[in-house]
Amino acid sequence: MKKVLAVVLALVMVTALFAACNKGGDNTPDTSTPDASQADVGGDADNKPLVVGYSSFNSKFSPFFSETAYDQDVWAMTAVSLLGTDRQGAVVEKGVSVEPIEYNGKEYTYPGMSDLTITENEDGTVYYDFVLRDGVTFSDGEPLTVDDVIFSFYVLCDPTYDGSTTIFALPIEGMEEYRAGMDTLLNLIYNGGRDYTDNEYFTEEEMNAFWDKYDAATLALAQEIVDCCIENYGATDVASAAAMWGFPLGSDEEETSAESAAAAEATVEDFAAALAEAYKSDVAGMINTENAGSTVDDLFPDLGDYSGKGIKTGESAANISGIQKTGDNTLRIVLTEVDATAIYNLAVAIAPLHYYGDPAKYDYDANSFGFDKGDLSAVRSKTTQPLGAGPYKFVKFENGVVYFEANESYYLGAPKIKNLQFKETTDADKLNGVITGTIDVTDPSYSKETAKTIAEQNSNGEVTGDKITTSAVDNLGYGYLGISAKAVNVGGELASDASKNLRKAFATVYANFRDVTVDSYYGEAAEVINYPISNTSWAAPQKTDADYAIAFSKDVDGNDIYTSEMTADERTAAALEAALGYFEAAGYTVEDGKLTAAPEGAALEYEVWIPGDGTGDHPSFMMLNDASNALETIGMKLIVKDLANSSDLWDALDVDGVPMWCAAWGATPDPDMYQIYYADVKNGGENAGGSNYMYDIADEELDELILDARSSLDKSYRKGIYKACLDIIVDWAVEVPVYQRQNAIIFSTERVNVDTVTPDITTYYGWMAEIQNMEMA
């Protein structure tokens, strides 16, 4: 669940909970003085380093294999991409010929690496034709060519590629044929089990050696987690430590007393077995996600020997027919069908073939693309040392600081700030670092309290002033309350009007308390939203739209619940009256304004889960408490379950164990809804989206609309389709949209010339987009 879902918690619950063990990372903040090569010499602004406060790095500074946003920012400083985005998140298709694009009443240009022409053909195929910018060089002086682009595509499409980019999943012509007939030694051994069967791929000795290393790594991982939890969090044994980490050993509610006793006597080997069962052959994912300080290199140093090289198991195509070199600086990608999300996936980083690959192994006409198919070892070997054509050159990562120097040959102009540092900093120290002068730019967690502290530093009492300048933009995601249709329904009929009315009863009461809750926690750093989509999306309904509606603000008969003159108490009374109407329509018995009996399959008591660290520290916690108190007055008991460990929520959702919960979705520039809401009703759920099981929404009309939107490149048409999708989702009442929070970047007004910072920063166009123009004060 932690690895697959694009779900993020609304705050840093996991980080706060596991700070002492540093789950999923191994770096610590640096408190040393930068080395002399980039020290602040004073007097000359050009020689001052720009110091940016960052969360911990994992040293995977590769355009192919980075795993965290912080590592991605490191290689992004050194790289250029085939396509870029504008301030509204739209892909810029004219990066070479350059056309002005209006935003916020101003016209901006977005020079980039290519011009793109998209052609939809009568046979259903789609051509993406690229013309590259001439005269661009990498930071080491080597020219950037179309061969570098083709090399980058082939790395990402190799059968053994296991990074986070999924371009190989696009319907590119010839992709399946190219990736067929090859697997990794790791998969072949793992899938073959522990009993050896004679085969042409590995010996019995190799198999035994692998399982010995696999078991040792898993056991060591389990042991370090247990030690961490006992030393830092009061765990008393293996079972309690495993439970804290999200792996309860035999703790089902219906377990027998014998099973409970067995769990109490659990061993580290039992915990290791649970970890292995959860991740199976994904050893790297298991260690990277669950570690309490160790790395893959620490626990399974030669894992790459098993996972890094492909073994031929059958026939395959020699090339990807849909990746075509059409000229000295031109390229065509052929899709077999329309895929609206493809344009974002095609915005690959252009990596230098001469650095990450082997020019001697590149011959396009001979189907050789810079490396041996199935062997990305040369690419992996450069994971900690990025190189590209971006504004800065990577120098080193030392003592928690990433050092860069300006790329004087950058195609948009040499950066005016010659030295740049990304410095590891705890979230608690980010704001203080700007105040005390050790950091120039950073991204503190932006809450009501943070805004207050910033305002106190400025003489004008505002968040932007003489000491600190604040730029706040909407976060790419939103907070919500989920309601499982499988757990909250009448008579087991998830899609019936009665079931929808039951869920709308709860949603109506929750929605009433959103305004006061969000304001109390975030102040001006967030706002209430009314559709299950981030405000950052071009598909999000706008308040000025004729059919825009406040979520769950009408009663069962379609009448408005509230009037503008109502007080808070009057609004709550109106919400409860409307909820009673929905409950009654769902089949509940209502007597004297109270619920006295529930229909079959429903109840008079429900739970709602929230990962509030056991202390109520969550943006939606007040909403739940207020809703619980209000519902109790009409005979419905709502139990608020505040989780100390957020992993408990994801584990329970995996087994349909949560009726209602609070969390937040991460979003992407494209509003495709397949992953979360597509149910594949026609085929019995065979191809349902990976996260659909959380809501169990199963609506054939919604399925058709989602697929329809995917099959069009017309944005205005898709926006209308997505509005219809959102209305269906709201009607199912499986999700109550709660808040759109903001992220903030703060600059030291005293040390950074804020007039040179990228203007009109947005969610999609960050402050580093034009970093080459920035100057120190």
Side-chain angles (χ1 to χ4, degrees), residues 333-357:
I333 305 296
V334 181
L335 267 62
T336 58
E337 61 187 53
V338 173
D339 187 321
T341 67
I343 191 169
Y344 291 98
N345 287 299
L346 295 176
V348 300
I350 304 174
L353 161 64
H354 71 274
Y355 179 74
Y356 286 98

Side-chain angles (χ1 to χ4, degrees), residues 194-212:
R194 294 174 182 259
D195 295 324
Y196 183 73
T197 301
D198 190 43
N199 66 85
E200 60 184 296
Y201 308 122
F202 55 87
T203 66
E204 185 172 7
E205 287 184 347
E206 290 175 320
M207 181 197 75
N208 290 333
F210 167 80
W211 284 115
D212 287 344

Side-chain angles (χ1 to χ4, degrees), residues 605-619:
E605 179 180 307
Y606 286 92
E607 281 189 345
V608 57
W609 294 29
I610 185 168
D613 203 19
T615 62
D617 188 9
H618 190 284

Side-chain angles (χ1 to χ4, degrees), residues 640-687:
V640 179
K641 189 171 182 179
D642 185 6
L643 306 173
N645 185 354
S646 62
S647 294
D648 291 346
L649 174 60
W650 313 129
D651 292 337
L653 284 168
D654 276 339
V655 294
D656 296 321
V658 186
M660 294 177 258
W661 69 96
C662 287
W665 283 115
T668 60
D670 189 270
D672 180 44
M673 297 180 175
Y674 186 98
Q675 175 74 9
I676 301 174
Y677 303 112
Y678 184 72
D680 194 24
V681 175
K682 282 187 175 181
N683 298 305
E686 181 179 349
N687 298 305

Side-chain angles (χ1 to χ4, degrees), residues 6 84 233 277 339 374 431 463 498 548 727:
Y233 301 111
E277 176 61 26
D339 187 321
L431 175 55
V463 293
Y548 185 89
D727 288 340

